[in-house]
């Protein structure tokens, strides 16, 4: 993995479509935002790909843990600015290596639903399961990554970047 730009992508959108799965996704996004007291319901570590969508939107390789995809996964997708905020992270060889190592060691690990709920009600987190902000915080190199929500993580990342700290 090279030292290409790496981003923290934060989902604040509303899922498009109809049907019970869409309504369930909207409900879980809403609940996540309420529990974590913020505008974000999900986060990803993203790297820009050289190709674009047919309509010219940038594509990103995104890695995270997703309840919808049942755990840690890699997904190529656009991050439309009307639904996602993207924070450039200070790229370094150390971060690229940490990201690759975490991916190699957690690929396809199950989603940690209890850990995600534990952010609000103090459940124990699992060392073998992951939720999105925990996985992203670990990739960034933050200690006690299970303590971060999709709304607390960007605040900490901005604080580190604004102070000129290396992630």
């Amino acid at each position: 993995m090279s030292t290409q730009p790496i981003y923290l992508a934060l989902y604040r959108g509303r899922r498009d479509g109809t049907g019970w799965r869409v309504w369930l996704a909207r409900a879980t996004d809403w609940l996540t935002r309420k529990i974590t007291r913020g505008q974000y319901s999900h986060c990803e570590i993203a790297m820009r790909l050289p190709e674009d969508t047919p309509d010219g939107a940038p594509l990103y390789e995104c890695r995270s843990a997703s309840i919808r995809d049942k755990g840690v996964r890699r997904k190529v997708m656009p991050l439309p600015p009307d639904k996602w905020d993207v924070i450039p992270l200070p790229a370094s060889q150390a971060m690229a290596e940490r990201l690759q190592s975490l991916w190699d060691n957690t690929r396809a690990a199950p989603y940690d639903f209890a850990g995600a709920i534990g952010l609000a009600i103090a459940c124990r987190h699992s060392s073998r399961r992951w939720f999105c902000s925990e996985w992203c915080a670990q990739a960034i190199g933050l200690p006690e990554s299970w303590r971060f929500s999709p709304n607390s993580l960007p605040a900490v990342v901005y604080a580190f970047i604004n102070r000129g700290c290396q992630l």
Side-chain angles (χ1 to χ4, degrees):
M1 182 178 286
S2 69
T3 55
Q4 70 186 64
I6 299 172
Y7 304 91
L8 175 63
L10 302 148
Y11 185 69
R12 61 175 159 66
R14 181 176 164 167
R15 184 158 176 194
D16 296 326
T18 59
W20 71 270
R21 288 178 196 226
V22 171
W23 287 105
L24 181 60
R26 286 181 185 165
T28 58
D29 286 348
W30 176 84
L31 184 60
T32 300
R33 290 176 178 123
K34 288 296 175 192
I35 289 172
T36 62
R37 292 181 237 134
Q39 65 178 329
Y40 302 118
S41 61
H42 179 69
C43 56
E44 303 269 347
I45 297 294
M47 291 163 286
R48 174 81 163 77
L49 295 174
E51 65 267 12
D52 292 338
T53 64
D55 64 351
L59 279 174
Y60 294 84
E61 176 187 290
C62 298
R63 297 179 190 188
S64 187
S66 168
I67 193 167
R68 293 177 189 149
D69 295 322
K70 299 177 178 59
V72 178
R73 54 91 178 110
R74 175 190 166 275
K75 189 173 190 175
V76 173
M77 60 188 181
L79 300 174
D82 62 325
K83 294 185 179 202
W84 292 86
D85 289 334
V86 179
I87 302 170
L89 299 171
S92 69
Q93 189 62 36
M95 179 175 278
E97 290 169 3
R98 188 171 48 247
L99 177 59
Q100 187 61 48
S101 176
L102 180 62
W103 173 250
D104 291 342
N105 290 310
T106 63
R107 178 182 7 214
Y111 188 79
D112 188 4
F113 186 75
I117 295 297
L119 288 170
I121 60 172
C123 287
R124 250 180 135 73
H125 78 98
S126 169
S127 60
R128 291 185 296 273
R129 295 174 175 266
W130 297 85
F131 55 93
C132 67
S133 50
E134 174 187 26
W135 197 91
C136 292
Q138 186 75 26
I140 292 168
L142 298 175
E144 298 183 345
S145 60
W146 53 272
R147 293 186 181 268
F148 293 95
S149 75
N151 287 293
S152 63
L153 184 57
V156 170
V157 168
Y158 277 128
F160 269 86
I161 291 170
N162 289 337
R163 289 188 179 125
C165 298
Q166 187 66 33
L167 294 171

